[in-house]
Amino acid sequence: ARDRSATAAPATVSTAECEPLPQSAVEVLISDTAKRRDLDPDLLRGVVRQESSFRPCAVSPKGALGLMQLMPATAAQLGVKDPFDPRENLDAGAKLLKQLMSMYEDLPLALGAYNAGPGKVNAAEGVPKIPETLNYVQKILSVLPVPW
């Protein structure tokens, strides 16, 4: 996994001229990707909702791109050719999330690392006390069946 500590996607994204994907398309993409990456579809859906509100052309002020708000360097490391292609972006983001889950063996820490970067999670020895990151983790966990 890579360190997003200096490049975490912010809570706000540009949505100009970018409509959310239709729910039917989102569900097919999430279902297929969750199966391929061995992830809970509710988890993947929660991350996409927090990252981009299902907008495939979302761009954050810090430059994070697409459904899973991949930073350009991360997208390149994951072999993404078109970060605005919903399937490609979702698959790469799911791969990254799965790597973080394997690394931390703890869902809140993996989500914290997806948002703030592994460097900040490691330095904090837990979910960083960054309001955006705490909110991000809480919102995603709140839509999952317990126990996650």
Side-chain angles (χ1 to χ4, degrees), residues 3-148:
D3 186 341
R4 278 178 60 162
S5 60
T7 57
T12 59
V13 295
S14 168
T15 57
E17 300 181 41
C18 184
E19 292 299 315
L21 287 176
Q23 185 174 354
S24 59
V26 168
E27 291 309 314
V28 169
L29 281 172
I30 286 177
S31 176
D32 291 350
T33 303
K35 284 179 190 161
R36 189 170 46 261
R37 294 294 177 189
D38 191 29
L39 288 168
D40 180 334
D42 290 330
L43 171 61
L44 202 50
R45 188 178 303 103
V47 171
V48 174
R49 180 180 294 113
Q50 280 304 115
E51 289 291 345
S52 67
S53 298
F54 306 105
R55 290 174 166 83
C57 60
V59 178
S60 78
K62 291 188 178 181
L65 308 168
L67 285 178
M68 295 288 283
Q69 289 292 277
L70 301 172
M71 293 303 292
T74 302
Q77 288 171 359
L78 294 168
V80 174
K81 294 189 183 1
D82 179 1
F84 297 112
D85 176 86
R87 184 173 302 279
E88 192 175 3
N89 187 290
L90 185 63
D91 189 62
K95 178 180 180 180
L96 175 60
L97 182 59
K98 187 71 174 184
Q99 289 172 350
L100 293 169
M101 290 172 68
S102 294
M103 179 189 306
Y104 290 104
E105 298 181 347
D106 179 273
L107 185 54
L109 290 180
L111 290 170
Y114 194 93
N115 179 260
K120 289 196 176 167
V121 169
N122 296 342
E125 297 181 354
V127 176
K129 303 292 187 243
I130 301 167
E132 175 197 331
T133 301
L134 293 170
N135 182 54
Y136 177 91
V137 171
Q138 185 278 323
K139 281 193 173 184
I140 294 171
L141 293 179
S142 74
V143 300
L144 299 179
V146 177
W148 19 265

